[in-house]
Amino acid sequence: MSSGNKKLVLLGVSGGIALYKSLEILREFTKKGFDVQVVMTSNAAKFVTPLSFSALSGHSVITDIFSSESGIQHIEIVKKSSLFLCAPATANLAGKLASGIADDALTTIALACTCPKVLVPAMNTNMWLNPIVQKNMEILSKSGYEVLPPVSGSLACGESGPGRMEEPENIISFCLDLLTPAKFFSGKTILITAGRTEEMIDSVRYISNRSSGKMGFAIARQAKAMGARVILIYGRTSLPPPNVDIGISVVSAEEMRNAVLNNFKNADIIIKSAAVSDYRPENVYSGKIKKTDEKINLALIRNPDILKELGRIKNNSQYLTGFAAETGDILNSAKLKLKDKKLDLIIANDISQKSIGFDSDENKITWIDKNNNIKSLPVLSKDRVAQEILKKIAKDLELH
Ligand code: PMT
């Protein structure tokens, strides 16, 4: 996401001596054309005044979630941001984030962020080596933070050892990789299906589901950003489709099947995130069914399973990815689908909560590959989920 035409970086600054380097980080990001919004803890503001940061960023620094600009505005900033970087991150800040504590502007914003998050700790060596701090870092890594560990060197406290904040140059280069992804898929074609199918009952009524197309569109967007030629086949949606090489809009499962089969041979990678109706009415009434006092029985017949068909006909060099929207025993159901449909990878979404999965901005996935490697990701924005799935595919195909 971006602020105006520029991508927005949220720069979190907590109170450690290393924060003089944050000014350099801020300057480098703005030089490279990013918009930067700084968020400081009150301790950080004792080391360097917010004025220095606002002068360099061109925005007033957020230090208080309850300031005159309301908290809601801060949440809006979170939605627009492409990256959250906290440098330096103190042991205290990491402890709060690992425990889900949000008692100031920085921790509140960090907790609300679903964009990529990078934490750059800096502290005294003994603090860094303390098992509690190490445990917190492990929790943060498992919760989706990229942690750039401190380097060894002489510290402000006079000691020497690991604890020094990573150099700004390396921090910037790490962040740029997240902000502008590598073109793993140059020369490759990726076929993606997105959204829902609709199966007509009569001329105005249909059977469908709540898929919005957000997940599939995010994959298409990120695949383009990673250099792929993208063919996107999508069901009815209220969202504008992303800019791809070939975009085909369909309504029913039958139409989706035809469009997929027509384009399948040209695809190196297929990702089927669409929610396809398993059934359709046996007869479609012409006109609108009239209301009577009689009971109506709607006979449903099976729709073709497009993914299963692809699993049967794909050649050895094509990489096939399916999705599984699941509740209950998510892993086992997904494993069965992986095997039954002869997939290379299956993405299981937990759709037990309304805030993730169907028609939401976030998703929580676990992937299983054909070698039974399993990885669960925390709740992330759909763009971020898309990046992670595509990186996994690039790695499996040795495009990394
Ligand atoms: O669009 P959003 O609002 O962002 O929501 C995203 C999503 C939750 C719909 C998406 O992430 C997702 O889980 N998509 C698959 C949903 C689904 O239909 O799962 P399934 O378990 O019924 O199907 C398994 C796989 O077979 C899917 O890849 C599906 O595309 C495919 N399939 C299913 C039935 C069928 N007749 N043909 C198929 O190809």
Side-chain angles (χ1 to χ4, degrees):
M1 299 230 189
S2 60
S3 138
N5 289 329
K6 295 178 173 180
K7 283 191 174 174
L8 176 66
V9 173
L10 279 173
L11 176 60
V13 182
S14 60
I17 191 70
L19 75 74
Y20 70 93
K21 293 183 187 171
S22 314
L23 289 166
E24 200 179 327
I25 294 171
L26 164 55
R27 206 171 29 232
E28 272 310 302
F29 270 124
T30 50
K31 260 201 225 160
K32 292 193 183 316
F34 293 94
D35 197 15
V36 183
Q37 172 65 61
V38 178
V39 191
M40 288 174 93
T41 62
S42 51
N43 280 340
K46 289 178 191 156
F47 285 86
V48 174
T49 62
L51 195 62
S52 317
F53 285 97
S54 66
L56 286 177
S57 67
H59 299 295
S60 44
V61 171
I62 301 175
T63 50
D64 180 6
I65 207 81
F66 299 110
S67 65
S68 53
E69 295 160 26
S70 74
I72 300 294
Q73 225 172 344
H74 301 149
I75 297 301
E76 284 308 311
I77 284 167
V78 164
K79 283 192 194 154
K80 287 190 204 150
S81 58
S82 297
L83 182 83
F84 173 83
L85 164 67
C86 188
T90 58
N92 180 49
L93 183 85
K96 286 202 233 171
L97 295 179
S99 316
I101 293 172
D103 64 352
D104 62 6
L106 181 52
T107 47
T108 303
I109 283 173
L111 217 60
C113 268
T114 55
C115 61
K117 292 188 272 200
V118 181
L119 211 64
V120 196
M123 61 196 77
N124 161 276
T125 300
N126 291 339
M127 286 170 84
W128 172 250
L129 295 177
N130 186 302
I132 298 172
V133 172
Q134 288 299 309
K135 186 84 203 151
N136 286 338
M137 293 300 160
E138 197 186 320
I139 293 172
L140 290 165
S141 289
K142 284 189 179 152
S143 311
Y145 280 89
E146 304 282 355
V147 178
L148 280 185
V151 292
S152 287
S154 55
L155 304 170
C157 56
E159 288 178 21
S160 188
R164 268 175 80 92
M165 186 167 93
E166 181 57 272
E167 287 307 316
E169 193 189 333
N170 297 336
I171 298 171
I172 299 273
S173 132
F174 183 85
C175 292
L176 287 180
D177 278 350
L178 292 174
L179 285 160
T180 46
K183 307 276 181 201
F184 297 128
F185 297 107
S186 296
K188 300 281 176 202
T189 296
I190 307 188
L191 188 160
I192 298 156
T193 67
R196 60 179 179 266
T197 62
E198 292 178 355
E199 311 298 330
M200 297 311 288
I201 298 171
D202 63 14
S203 57
V204 289
R205 301 173 176 107
Y206 56 83
I207 298 173
S208 192
N209 57 67
R210 290 199 301 113
S211 170
S212 60
K214 286 180 186 172
M215 188 65 248
F217 284 6
I219 298 172
R221 234 182 345 261
Q222 296 303 330
K224 272 292 319 152
M226 294 185 188
R229 176 174 171 266
V230 172
I231 305 172
L232 176 63
I233 299 168
Y234 56 97
R236 277 220 178 103
T237 170
S238 53
L239 302 171
N243 187 15
V244 292
D245 298 278
I246 301 178
I248 304 171
S249 135
V250 296
V251 177
S252 65
E254 196 60 49
E255 281 178 33
M256 184 169 277
R257 174 179 177 267
N258 291 339
V260 168
L261 291 181
N262 286 341
N263 288 281
F264 171 65
K265 282 206 183 83
N266 303 325
D268 303 290
I269 296 154
I270 301 99
I271 307 177
K272 284 216 77 255
S273 76
V276 184
S277 292
D278 288 320
Y279 294 91
R280 68 171 184 273
E282 188 168 23
N283 298 303
V284 180
Y285 290 79
S286 66
K288 183 176 169 229
I289 299 172
K290 290 254 179 295
K291 182 169 61 186
T292 68
D293 290 337
E294 299 298 309
K295 186 164 112 183
I296 290 184
N297 287 318
L298 191 61
L300 300 178
I301 54 170
R302 278 299 306 264
N303 259 333
D305 189 325
I306 311 166
L307 187 59
K308 192 163 178 172
E309 199 171 340
L310 298 184
R312 262 199 315 269
I313 61 174
K314 86 177 187 79
N315 67 36
N316 285 341
S317 64
Q318 286 178 306
Y319 188 103
L320 189 56
T321 307
F323 267 71
E326 304 287 353
T327 53
D329 191 350
I330 296 168
L331 273 193
N332 271 332
S333 314
K335 276 183 191 171
L336 289 176
K337 283 182 187 164
L338 175 84
K339 207 164 164 221
D340 180 46
K341 303 193 188 202
K342 299 191 171 64
L343 308 179
D344 295 287
L345 183 69
I346 191 147
I347 314 295
N349 323 233
D350 182 350
I351 54 159
S352 56
Q353 296 166 44
K354 258 196 146 181
S355 59
I356 46 175
F358 279 92
D359 195 19
S360 66
D361 293 328
E362 291 164 0
N363 207 355
K364 166 144 186 50
I365 63 153
T366 298
W367 70 55
I368 310 168
D369 68 19
K370 63 178 178 196
N371 299 319
N372 204 30
N373 294 310
I374 301 176
K375 182 167 179 184
S376 291
L377 301 183
V379 174
L380 295 171
S381 71
K382 284 187 173 165
D383 275 291
R384 186 89 172 84
V385 168
Q387 283 174 348
E388 291 301 318
I389 294 170
L390 289 163
K391 279 201 265 173
K392 159 71 179 160
I393 296 174
K395 198 165 168 215
D396 283 359
L397 293 174
E398 295 179 357
L399 305 170
H400 232 213

